[in-house]
Amino acid sequence: MVSSEYERRIAGRFVTFDQDGNGYIDREDFNVAAKALLTEFGTAARSDKGQALYVGAEAFWQGMAGIADRDGDQRITRDEFVNGAVKRLRDNPERFAEIARPFLHAALAVADQDGDGRATVEDTARVLRILGVSEDIARAAAATLDADGDGKVGEDEIVPAFARYFTVPE
């Protein structure tokens, strides 16, 4: 895949982070995502799971800003996202996974209805929809994440897949 095609695809993924559609990613986008997930799953913001989700969102924001916010204005533009963060992480998706892990871990805990450390495929699709993925893609992605076919998705399945989605051109 040529670099320009890669950049076009990654730029399209920018929208997933830009929760309010204002043309840049900032701390508020991560807070909006956390609040939406808590609302979707009926979890109180002041609960342990709610607090962990907000802490994870802040850690994710700080990691993204540290890599991509080239001008230090506490906002990541589409250009900064494509030409900064993603290009720098393309050859190291594990770094992106580590930046995202606290948020993904907490989001999975919110979606985990039975406390076994994993979410059902359906609840995983709900998380993806809340984060801006279309219904059909969310369902397909959640099913694909269930690599062992047990109807559940764990952190060991979702974190690497998330990193690949945002950093790998294929």
Side-chain angles (χ1 to χ4, degrees):
M1 180 178 299
V2 297
S3 181
S4 61
E5 175 65 12
Y6 173 75
E7 289 174 10
R8 185 192 63 75
R9 290 181 66 194
I10 293 301
R13 293 171 184 159
F14 172 86
V15 175
T16 304
F17 283 107
D18 184 13
Q19 291 281 304
D20 56 15
N22 64 2
Y24 55 85
I25 302 166
D26 63 6
R27 175 179 279 112
E28 187 59 23
D29 290 310
F30 288 85
N31 288 330
V32 166
K35 183 178 180 180
L37 283 171
L38 294 175
T39 300
E40 175 70 18
F41 288 95
T43 304
R46 293 183 185 255
S47 69
D48 289 344
K49 286 182 179 183
Q51 289 299 294
L53 187 60
Y54 278 112
V55 168
E58 178 62 21
F60 197 0
W61 161 245
Q62 290 294 329
M64 286 281 291
I67 289 172
D69 183 16
R70 306 316 305 160
D71 60 10
D73 66 354
Q74 295 297 296
R75 301 186 315 182
I76 300 168
T77 64
R78 182 177 161 179
D79 186 58
E80 285 175 321
F81 183 77
V82 172
N83 296 312
V86 177
K87 279 187 176 179
R88 290 176 59 200
L89 296 171
R90 177 175 30 196
D91 295 328
N92 189 2
E94 295 79 25
R95 174 73 179 123
F96 194 72
E98 291 312 309
I99 291 168
R101 184 178 301 280
F103 179 75
L104 294 173
H105 175 81
L108 196 61
V110 167
D112 175 10
Q113 302 294 309
D114 64 6
D116 70 351
R118 301 176 313 143
T120 65
V121 169
E122 179 57 36
D123 285 338
T124 302
R126 287 171 64 194
V127 169
L128 294 172
R129 283 192 308 270
I130 293 300
L131 297 178
V133 178
S134 68
E135 176 83 26
D136 56 331
I137 293 173
R139 286 188 179 280
T144 300
L145 287 170
D146 180 20
D148 60 8
D150 67 354
K152 297 274 192 143
V153 176
E155 186 173 335
D156 60 328
E157 294 164 311
I158 201 165
V159 171
F162 184 85
R164 281 190 310 273
Y165 178 74
F166 283 101
T167 60
V168 178
E170 287 108 55

